Amino acid sequence: MGGVRPMMETLANQWPVMAAGLMLVFGAAVMLLRRPDSGLWMFAFLIYSNAGPVAIHFHGVPGPLAHAMVGLPMFAAAYQLLVRRERLCLGPAPFALFGFFGAQFLSVLFAAFRDIALRELTTNIAEGLALYLLVVNGVRSVETLRQMTWAMLAAGAMLGGLGLFQAATHTQHLTYGGFAQVPDRDVAEEDEEWVAVPKPRAAGPIGEKNYYAQFMLMLTPLAFLQSRTERNWLYKALAMAALLLILGGIGLSGSRGAAVGLAALLVVMAAFRYVTWAQLAVLGLAGVMVVVASPTYRERMSTFTTLIDILAGGSSIQNADKAVQGRLTEMAAALLIFRDSPIVGIGPGNFPLEFIDRADSLGFQVHSSERYAHCMYLEIAAETGILGLASFLALLGQTLWALQRARSHSVEPALRNAATALFLALVVLATTGVFLSFAYARYYWLLFSLSAAIAALSDTARARAAELAAATDSRDTPPLDSPLSPRVGTTTCPPCEC
């Protein structure tokens, strides 16, 4: 009986949360039975709001229950494959996709810390390969794609809105259920000692400022293009409102990498003629004014000039601030590891364990703890070798090419705009990945899977259009025995002169 009483007290304290959770589960089950594909937009919202980890760490929800949300896309994919008998879809780059995970498996065999590498591989398969295949086989219509897009925008608008309200009311000490986390202090290093410096920067539901800004930035092209796709003025206004809230959340993060990603995004949008070069110049001037007006952001952005001087050879790395020194150290350590293990790497998840030894040999080590590479490409190269890096770059390149084909050849405007939005989102991923590791990969794989679904929908639409055109031509061509058709085997008699 001694163990029953604490359990009952816990249930009594948590019963409002549990009751709300049960009601949501019941409502989701009813909706799934009526519309099996509705599980996809629920899944997209839960992924982008990071609801599962938040429920575990902030509300005491058991891990298996929180992770049960994977059943939502599984139900949708099973319905399409088993009930509707749709063909299995592997996306536009199946060889690169399986090659990437095959390279990870191969690197596990040669990893020094094999148990950690195997655990990381299992996580990558669950959050990467499985998610990709379930979503791409569940999305079989433009309407389902639209619903998932709106679910992601709703999550981004909610997170951005919470951050803005938190900043306006100066309630950074509240996490608002775990969806608006603000680390109490950033840590800066000064004179070889760690000194805590108060810098409230929004970190969203994941608790990490730069990744939060990256994931929010990937939503901005989706919001912009959705405002152009919708025909109803209310939906257009909602998409623009979501865009503003998302941009507000990005600004509160104070992320330098997000600023670079936004600049690259605007340049590509100008190249696609969604933004004129004059508008781009105005936006650039506005961005400069924001940086000048914000002392914290101005100080953070000023480190780019130091970094340029270092890369140009005009300054020493010891003259940079500790944040820049740390990032360069991590990237240099990844290069050293890749040089020593160029084919298969050192194994997934093994870079942080090897970092300290490699960084010490560089002579400008500033961290005494395990660190990530802070560069997606270098981390993949260090952990999975040239096989993993080549496969990932091929996957990224082929996916972008498939989206470009969908942009150019899709007959449906909604599909064209969706292809453009995902193309731009992957541009953000490729740009910000220079400064961030391949962490929280479920966000990346959600974008890859939606891109693959768009490519498949575009190919299907083109095939149907070709079949319809062929059928129309066959109906317009008269049969051979018709009086309107020329008779085979007959010749035209020349006019006689008799």
mmCIF file of all heavy atoms in Angstrom, residues 406-429:
data_model
loop_
_atom_site.group_PDB
_atom_site.id
_atom_site.type_symbol
_atom_site.label_atom_id
_atom_site.label_comp_id
_atom_site.label_asym_id
_atom_site.label_seq_id
_atom_site.Cartn_x
_atom_site.Cartn_y
_atom_site.Cartn_z
ATOM 1 N N ALA A 406 9.216 20.081 -60.517
ATOM 2 C CA ALA A 406 7.812 20.279 -60.149
ATOM 3 C C ALA A 406 7.408 21.739 -60.324
ATOM 4 O O ALA A 406 6.285 22.040 -60.754
ATOM 5 C CB ALA A 406 7.583 19.828 -58.706
ATOM 6 N N ARG A 407 8.318 22.659 -60.003
ATOM 7 C CA ARG A 407 8.041 24.081 -60.190
ATOM 8 C C ARG A 407 7.830 24.411 -61.664
ATOM 9 O O ARG A 407 6.969 25.224 -62.017
ATOM 10 C CB ARG A 407 9.208 24.932 -59.675
ATOM 11 C CG ARG A 407 9.361 25.012 -58.185
ATOM 12 C CD ARG A 407 10.445 26.004 -57.804
ATOM 13 N NE ARG A 407 10.075 27.355 -58.214
ATOM 14 C CZ ARG A 407 10.669 28.039 -59.176
ATOM 15 N NH1 ARG A 407 11.676 27.501 -59.853
ATOM 16 N NH2 ARG A 407 10.277 29.261 -59.482
ATOM 17 N N SER A 408 8.614 23.795 -62.507
ATOM 18 C CA SER A 408 8.604 24.147 -63.927
ATOM 19 C C SER A 408 7.486 23.469 -64.707
ATOM 20 O O SER A 408 6.978 24.037 -65.687
ATOM 21 C CB SER A 408 9.955 23.778 -64.562
ATOM 22 O OG SER A 408 11.017 24.406 -63.879
ATOM 23 N N HIS A 409 7.097 22.260 -64.291
ATOM 24 C CA HIS A 409 6.197 21.469 -65.125
ATOM 25 C C HIS A 409 4.835 21.201 -64.508
ATOM 26 O O HIS A 409 3.963 20.650 -65.191
ATOM 27 C CB HIS A 409 6.857 20.121 -65.466
ATOM 28 C CG HIS A 409 8.148 20.254 -66.206
ATOM 29 N ND1 HIS A 409 9.376 20.089 -65.599
ATOM 30 C CD2 HIS A 409 8.412 20.565 -67.500
ATOM 31 C CE1 HIS A 409 10.334 20.279 -66.489
ATOM 32 N NE2 HIS A 409 9.788 20.570 -67.647
ATOM 33 N N SER A 410 4.631 21.549 -63.246
ATOM 34 C CA SER A 410 3.336 21.264 -62.631
ATOM 35 C C SER A 410 2.259 22.148 -63.254
ATOM 36 O O SER A 410 2.468 23.353 -63.460
ATOM 37 C CB SER A 410 3.380 21.508 -61.117
ATOM 38 O OG SER A 410 4.200 20.570 -60.485
ATOM 39 N N VAL A 411 1.117 21.532 -63.554
ATOM 40 C CA VAL A 411 0.015 22.278 -64.162
ATOM 41 C C VAL A 411 -0.862 22.915 -63.095
ATOM 42 O O VAL A 411 -1.669 23.788 -63.400
ATOM 43 C CB VAL A 411 -0.846 21.338 -65.040
ATOM 44 C CG1 VAL A 411 -0.027 20.849 -66.223
ATOM 45 C CG2 VAL A 411 -1.373 20.155 -64.241
ATOM 46 N N GLU A 412 -0.721 22.497 -61.860
ATOM 47 C CA GLU A 412 -1.555 23.003 -60.776
ATOM 48 C C GLU A 412 -0.798 24.081 -60.002
ATOM 49 O O GLU A 412 0.284 23.838 -59.483
ATOM 50 C CB GLU A 412 -1.943 21.853 -59.838
ATOM 51 C CG GLU A 412 -3.067 22.203 -58.898
ATOM 52 C CD GLU A 412 -3.620 20.974 -58.198
ATOM 53 O OE1 GLU A 412 -3.322 19.851 -58.653
ATOM 54 O OE2 GLU A 412 -4.326 21.140 -57.198
ATOM 55 N N PRO A 413 -1.359 25.294 -59.895
ATOM 56 C CA PRO A 413 -0.650 26.381 -59.202
ATOM 57 C C PRO A 413 -0.316 26.060 -57.751
ATOM 58 O O PRO A 413 0.765 26.421 -57.268
ATOM 59 C CB PRO A 413 -1.634 27.557 -59.300
ATOM 60 C CG PRO A 413 -2.499 27.234 -60.480
ATOM 61 C CD PRO A 413 -2.605 25.747 -60.507
ATOM 62 N N ALA A 414 -1.219 25.383 -57.047
ATOM 63 C CA ALA A 414 -0.960 25.051 -55.638
ATOM 64 C C ALA A 414 0.254 24.152 -55.514
ATOM 65 O O ALA A 414 1.069 24.311 -54.589
ATOM 66 C CB ALA A 414 -2.189 24.380 -55.027
ATOM 67 N N LEU A 415 0.407 23.224 -56.440
ATOM 68 C CA LEU A 415 1.544 22.314 -56.402
ATOM 69 C C LEU A 415 2.836 23.044 -56.759
ATOM 70 O O LEU A 415 3.896 22.791 -56.175
ATOM 71 C CB LEU A 415 1.307 21.153 -57.365
ATOM 72 C CG LEU A 415 2.053 19.843 -57.088
ATOM 73 C CD1 LEU A 415 1.824 19.365 -55.675
ATOM 74 C CD2 LEU A 415 1.615 18.778 -58.078
ATOM 75 N N ARG A 416 2.752 23.985 -57.710
ATOM 76 C CA ARG A 416 3.926 24.781 -58.062
ATOM 77 C C ARG A 416 4.396 25.615 -56.879
ATOM 78 O O ARG A 416 5.590 25.689 -56.592
ATOM 79 C CB ARG A 416 3.598 25.702 -59.251
ATOM 80 C CG ARG A 416 3.879 25.118 -60.606
ATOM 81 C CD ARG A 416 4.018 26.195 -61.667
ATOM 82 N NE ARG A 416 2.959 27.183 -61.615
ATOM 83 C CZ ARG A 416 1.794 27.074 -62.234
ATOM 84 N NH1 ARG A 416 1.536 25.995 -62.948
ATOM 85 N NH2 ARG A 416 0.895 28.029 -62.148
ATOM 86 N N ASN A 417 3.461 26.267 -56.198
ATOM 87 C CA ASN A 417 3.830 27.095 -55.053
ATOM 88 C C ASN A 417 4.377 26.248 -53.909
ATOM 89 O O ASN A 417 5.313 26.656 -53.214
ATOM 90 C CB ASN A 417 2.621 27.893 -54.579
ATOM 91 C CG ASN A 417 2.288 29.046 -55.503
ATOM 92 O OD1 ASN A 417 3.140 29.521 -56.247
ATOM 93 N ND2 ASN A 417 1.053 29.485 -55.480
ATOM 94 N N ALA A 418 3.802 25.075 -53.712
ATOM 95 C CA ALA A 418 4.302 24.188 -52.652
ATOM 96 C C ALA A 418 5.720 23.727 -52.966
ATOM 97 O O ALA A 418 6.579 23.663 -52.073
ATOM 98 C CB ALA A 418 3.375 22.984 -52.487
ATOM 99 N N ALA A 419 5.985 23.423 -54.239
ATOM 100 C CA ALA A 419 7.335 23.014 -54.633
ATOM 101 C C ALA A 419 8.332 24.148 -54.418
ATOM 102 O O ALA A 419 9.455 23.927 -53.940
ATOM 103 C CB ALA A 419 7.343 22.572 -56.092
ATOM 104 N N THR A 420 7.917 25.365 -54.747
ATOM 105 C CA THR A 420 8.801 26.524 -54.534
ATOM 106 C C THR A 420 9.062 26.729 -53.052
ATOM 107 O O THR A 420 10.204 27.012 -52.643
ATOM 108 C CB THR A 420 8.160 27.782 -55.131
ATOM 109 O OG1 THR A 420 7.907 27.569 -56.520
ATOM 110 C CG2 THR A 420 9.081 28.981 -54.971
ATOM 111 N N ALA A 421 8.020 26.618 -52.231
ATOM 112 C CA ALA A 421 8.176 26.818 -50.783
ATOM 113 C C ALA A 421 9.153 25.810 -50.192
ATOM 114 O O ALA A 421 10.033 26.173 -49.393
ATOM 115 C CB ALA A 421 6.816 26.716 -50.097
ATOM 116 N N LEU A 422 9.021 24.541 -50.560
ATOM 117 C CA LEU A 422 9.931 23.528 -50.019
ATOM 118 C C LEU A 422 11.337 23.695 -50.572
ATOM 119 O O LEU A 422 12.328 23.434 -49.877
ATOM 120 C CB LEU A 422 9.395 22.126 -50.329
ATOM 121 C CG LEU A 422 8.523 21.473 -49.245
ATOM 122 C CD1 LEU A 422 9.325 21.260 -47.955
ATOM 123 C CD2 LEU A 422 7.281 22.277 -48.945
ATOM 124 N N PHE A 423 11.461 24.135 -51.821
ATOM 125 C CA PHE A 423 12.782 24.425 -52.387
ATOM 126 C C PHE A 423 13.479 25.487 -51.547
ATOM 127 O O PHE A 423 14.649 25.347 -51.171
ATOM 128 C CB PHE A 423 12.628 24.887 -53.835
ATOM 129 C CG PHE A 423 13.927 25.072 -54.565
ATOM 130 C CD1 PHE A 423 14.395 24.098 -55.431
ATOM 131 C CD2 PHE A 423 14.698 26.217 -54.387
ATOM 132 C CE1 PHE A 423 15.601 24.257 -56.111
ATOM 133 C CE2 PHE A 423 15.900 26.391 -55.055
ATOM 134 C CZ PHE A 423 16.358 25.401 -55.919
ATOM 135 N N LEU A 424 12.755 26.561 -51.229
ATOM 136 C CA LEU A 424 13.334 27.641 -50.430
ATOM 137 C C LEU A 424 13.634 27.183 -49.011
ATOM 138 O O LEU A 424 14.639 27.590 -48.413
ATOM 139 C CB LEU A 424 12.379 28.832 -50.415
ATOM 140 C CG LEU A 424 12.150 29.521 -51.771
ATOM 141 C CD1 LEU A 424 11.043 30.555 -51.671
ATOM 142 C CD2 LEU A 424 13.434 30.166 -52.267
ATOM 143 N N ALA A 425 12.782 26.323 -48.455
ATOM 144 C CA ALA A 425 13.030 25.807 -47.107
ATOM 145 C C ALA A 425 14.308 24.976 -47.068
ATOM 146 O O ALA A 425 15.090 25.047 -46.106
ATOM 147 C CB ALA A 425 11.834 24.981 -46.631
ATOM 148 N N LEU A 426 14.543 24.193 -48.116
ATOM 149 C CA LEU A 426 15.782 23.417 -48.179
ATOM 150 C C LEU A 426 16.995 24.309 -48.410
ATOM 151 O O LEU A 426 18.102 23.978 -47.970
ATOM 152 C CB LEU A 426 15.680 22.357 -49.280
ATOM 153 C CG LEU A 426 14.723 21.200 -49.001
ATOM 154 C CD1 LEU A 426 14.735 20.209 -50.155
ATOM 155 C CD2 LEU A 426 15.078 20.481 -47.710
ATOM 156 N N VAL A 427 16.799 25.443 -49.090
ATOM 157 C CA VAL A 427 17.887 26.418 -49.217
ATOM 158 C C VAL A 427 18.264 26.948 -47.837
ATOM 159 O O VAL A 427 19.450 27.101 -47.510
ATOM 160 C CB VAL A 427 17.476 27.572 -50.155
ATOM 161 C CG1 VAL A 427 18.453 28.735 -50.057
ATOM 162 C CG2 VAL A 427 17.402 27.075 -51.594
ATOM 163 N N VAL A 428 17.264 27.225 -47.008
ATOM 164 C CA VAL A 428 17.527 27.659 -45.631
ATOM 165 C C VAL A 428 18.291 26.574 -44.874
ATOM 166 O O VAL A 428 19.270 26.858 -44.166
ATOM 167 C CB VAL A 428 16.207 27.997 -44.913
ATOM 168 C CG1 VAL A 428 16.455 28.245 -43.424
ATOM 169 C CG2 VAL A 428 15.550 29.208 -45.546
ATOM 170 N N LEU A 429 17.862 25.321 -45.017
ATOM 171 C CA LEU A 429 18.545 24.213 -44.349
ATOM 172 C C LEU A 429 19.995 24.120 -44.801
ATOM 173 O O LEU A 429 20.912 23.976 -43.972
ATOM 174 C CB LEU A 429 17.811 22.907 -44.644
ATOM 175 C CG LEU A 429 18.544 21.610 -44.303
ATOM 176 C CD1 LEU A 429 18.815 21.519 -42.808
ATOM 177 C CD2 LEU A 429 17.755 20.399 -44.768
#
